Amino acid sequence: MSSKDNQPFDKIAALLLLSTKYKFKDIRRDVIEHLLRLYPTTLAKFDSVHDEDILFYRMPRWGCHFKLLKIARVTGADALLPGLYY
């Protein structure tokens, strides 16, 4: 877990929402890449980070799933969907 994982969930959500709204492509790409590290799209990588009891964004991992899924759908961050649905 990196120091980036210790950010409040609202900060990560706001970065993705605002970078999409105002077309800050570099920030949006960085946020999505960071989230893909936590919600990878391959089973092998997903199994290596899958632990419901560890904290992501200062909350249990299971507390992020549906919130991130909603934000990914609203912002069109389709690359995040496979890992979030899994």
Side-chain angles (χ1 to χ4, degrees), residues 27-68:
I27 295 172
R28 176 181 158 83
R29 183 195 67 235
D30 290 346
V31 171
I32 290 173
E33 285 177 4
H34 177 69
L35 290 170
L36 281 172
R37 188 176 56 79
L38 302 174
Y39 289 92
T41 57
T42 64
L43 182 58
K45 289 180 182 177
F46 189 86
D47 285 342
S48 70
V49 298
H50 182 70
D51 184 353
E52 294 296 329
D53 295 327
I54 61 175
L55 296 179
F56 284 130
Y57 310 118
R58 299 182 186 170
M59 60 190 317
R61 181 184 168 106
W62 56 265
C64 297
H65 300 322
F66 290 110
K67 293 176 184 181
L68 281 175

Side-chain angles (χ1 to χ4, degrees), residues 5 11 15 21 30 40 65 78 82:
D5 298 338
K11 182 177 180 180
L15 281 171
K21 179 178 181 177
D30 290 346
H65 300 322
D78 295 340

